[in-house]
Amino acid sequence: MMPFTRALLVALTLLVAHEPASAQEKLRVGKAVAESIAFVPLDVGLRHGLFKKHGVDIEITAFGGGARLQQAMAAESIDIGVSAGPELALVEKGAPVKGVAMPFGPPVYLVLLARPDIKAITDLKGRKLSVSSARSLTGWLAVELSRQQGWGPRGIELVHSPPRASLASIKTGQVEGMVTDITLALRAEQAKEAKILLDFGDLVRDFHTHVIYASDKMIAGRPDAIRKFLAGWFDTIQFMRANKADTVKVAMDVLELPEAIAGPTYDRVMPAFSTDGKFDDKALVTLSRSFVELELLPSAPKDMHRLYTEQFLPKR
């Protein structure tokens, strides 16, 4: 065999040997917001190689809310999105996406943060609460609180503003409170700027706070990539449950939290992460009601099962 031919064979052998590494599928993954503990599994899985273990290389983009994430999915600028459960209503309205997993159950990481002088929930009747928008998850939770108190859906006045602006409004007395992430709330409580009055996980028990969405294009053309991504996601959840210190370290970095907040937050939210991604019928009933109360749909869908699929979930 001529030296040139022998060298060519060696080169081809090396190329084949390195093929698995180059076979990583690129996935553009969006999370609705940058600051939420509920989306940290993406960062944990990326940093610890748990998505690459299943053959996917993810690129994470954070958006300024679920509406922008869904717009990006419709524009095909991301392939998979992790966002709020009520956005399943958009599938009914014709959005080119479908739910492919339920990653997070009751809204245990969302709380009602109130002015220090507010003594009880009953003090909020007819008063102002800040939410990200009237048609958002935080807006629905405020409406649900009003309804459960017997004040009707409009018993609390909703004011729309971003979290940090809302906290400033609490301090100046422009609003009585806000629906927010537990990490911001704990910071405000430690600074004695406000106090946690209610854990929404206690108010709404049967619910899908978040859903993982895949574009119709992904479902039709790259179903194995969805399966690989979800395998990586649920491996990450198992890793997080078994490795608190490593998870807290990532949360501290990504969310810019001190350990005194990241540690207790981990303890609070970890049980709400689903380990199998399956949808629950009782939670879907509550979710369908939220579609109407958020005015996303005129009436509840006749068949919620059309809005999602479980065909890509890992077989356990």
Side-chain angles (χ1 to χ4, degrees), residues 45-85:
L46 177 64
R47 296 189 186 200
H48 287 276
L50 297 166
F51 290 105
K52 282 194 173 182
K53 170 186 166 185
H54 291 278
V56 288
D57 184 10
I58 67 169
E59 176 185 286
I60 304 171
T61 301
F63 292 85
R68 291 183 179 178
L69 179 146
Q70 294 293 346
Q71 288 169 359
M73 294 198 77
E76 298 183 0
S77 58
I78 60 171
D79 306 309
I80 289 176
V82 190
S83 199

Side-chain angles (χ1 to χ4, degrees), residues 63-143:
F63 292 85
R68 291 183 179 178
L69 179 146
Q70 294 293 346
Q71 288 169 359
M73 294 198 77
E76 298 183 0
S77 58
I78 60 171
D79 306 309
I80 289 176
V82 190
S83 199
E87 289 164 31
L88 270 179
L90 301 179
V91 183
E92 180 76 2
K93 294 177 77 171
V97 301
K98 184 168 278 191
V100 292
M102 191 288 291
F104 200 93
V108 297
Y109 74 94
L110 292 169
V111 299
L112 176 57
L113 186 68
R115 286 198 336 239
D117 61 308
I118 299 293
K119 304 300 181 186
I121 296 296
T122 51
D123 294 339
L124 297 174
K125 184 177 182 180
R127 312 292 286 278
K128 294 179 180 179
L129 274 189
S130 186
V131 298
S132 57
S133 79
R135 294 187 176 183
S136 68
L137 175 59
T138 57
W140 180 75
L141 289 172
V143 168

Side-chain angles (χ1 to χ4, degrees), residues 1 6 17 42 55-56 58-59 61 71 98 105 149-150 153-154 165 169 201 204 214 234 258 301-302 305 316:
M1 185 180 292
R6 192 177 294 116
L42 289 174
V56 288
I58 67 169
E59 176 185 286
T61 301
Q71 288 169 359
K98 184 168 278 191
Q149 288 293 315
R154 300 292 179 263
S169 296
V204 183
F234 290 107
K302 293 180 179 179
H305 299 91
R316 300 278 181 186

Side-chain angles (χ1 to χ4, degrees), residues 10-296:
V10 170
L12 288 171
T13 302
L14 289 172
L15 183 63
V16 171
H18 286 83
E19 189 175 0
S22 63
Q24 294 279 326
E25 288 202 62
K26 300 284 186 181
L27 278 180
R28 301 164 301 171
V29 182
K31 52 182 176 180
V33 295
E35 305 87 359
S36 175
I37 190 72
F39 305 128
V40 161
L42 289 174
D43 303 284
V44 173
L46 177 64
R47 296 189 186 200
H48 287 276
L50 297 166
F51 290 105
K52 282 194 173 182
K53 170 186 166 185
H54 291 278
V56 288
D57 184 10
I58 67 169
E59 176 185 286
I60 304 171
T61 301
F63 292 85
R68 291 183 179 178
L69 179 146
Q70 294 293 346
Q71 288 169 359
M73 294 198 77
E76 298 183 0
S77 58
I78 60 171
D79 306 309
I80 289 176
V82 190
S83 199
E87 289 164 31
L88 270 179
L90 301 179
V91 183
E92 180 76 2
K93 294 177 77 171
V97 301
K98 184 168 278 191
V100 292
M102 191 288 291
F104 200 93
V108 297
Y109 74 94
L110 292 169
V111 299
L112 176 57
L113 186 68
R115 286 198 336 239
D117 61 308
I118 299 293
K119 304 300 181 186
I121 296 296
T122 51
D123 294 339
L124 297 174
K125 184 177 182 180
R127 312 292 286 278
K128 294 179 180 179
L129 274 189
S130 186
V131 298
S132 57
S133 79
R135 294 187 176 183
S136 68
L137 175 59
T138 57
W140 180 75
L141 289 172
V143 168
E144 179 67 3
L145 172 62
S146 177
R147 188 186 68 80
Q148 289 198 23
Q149 288 293 315
W151 306 333
R154 300 292 179 263
I156 296 173
E157 184 179 345
L158 304 187
V159 177
H160 314 152
S161 66
R164 299 200 182 279
S166 299
L167 182 57
S169 296
I170 288 176
K171 290 190 280 187
T172 58
Q174 293 173 282
V175 298
E176 277 61 54
M178 63 185 292
V179 182
T180 190
D181 186 282
I182 182 63
T183 55
L184 185 147
L186 288 173
R187 279 176 166 169
E189 212 170 46
Q190 286 188 2
K192 299 184 178 176
E193 297 169 333
K195 66 180 181 182
I196 297 172
L197 201 61
L198 173 71
D199 179 339
F200 281 103
D202 295 330
L203 186 79
V204 183
R205 296 184 181 276
D206 296 314
F207 199 66
H208 292 332
T209 303
H210 293 292
V211 167
I212 297 177
Y213 299 88
S215 69
D216 288 349
K217 186 175 181 179
M218 281 290 297
I219 290 172
R222 300 173 64 193
D224 285 343
I226 301 173
R227 291 187 180 93
K228 291 174 183 178
F229 172 80
L230 292 179
W233 174 280
F234 290 107
D235 267 7
T236 298
I237 300 305
Q238 294 294 347
F239 175 88
M240 290 170 65
R241 285 175 178 260
N243 297 274
K244 177 179 177 178
D246 290 328
T247 302
V248 167
K249 185 177 179 181
V250 174
M252 289 170 63
D253 185 26
V254 172
L255 304 178
E256 299 181 353
L257 296 174
E259 189 171 1
I261 290 178
T265 299
Y266 170 95
D267 295 334
R268 187 186 194 112
V269 306
M270 204 63 234
F273 281 105
S274 171
T275 58
D276 60 17
K278 293 186 176 180
F279 292 80
D280 175 78
D281 285 340
K282 286 184 178 180
L284 288 169
V285 170
T286 308
L287 203 55
S288 68
R289 179 164 57 82
S290 78
F291 299 165
V292 180
E293 292 171 347
L294 285 168
E295 299 180 356
L296 295 171

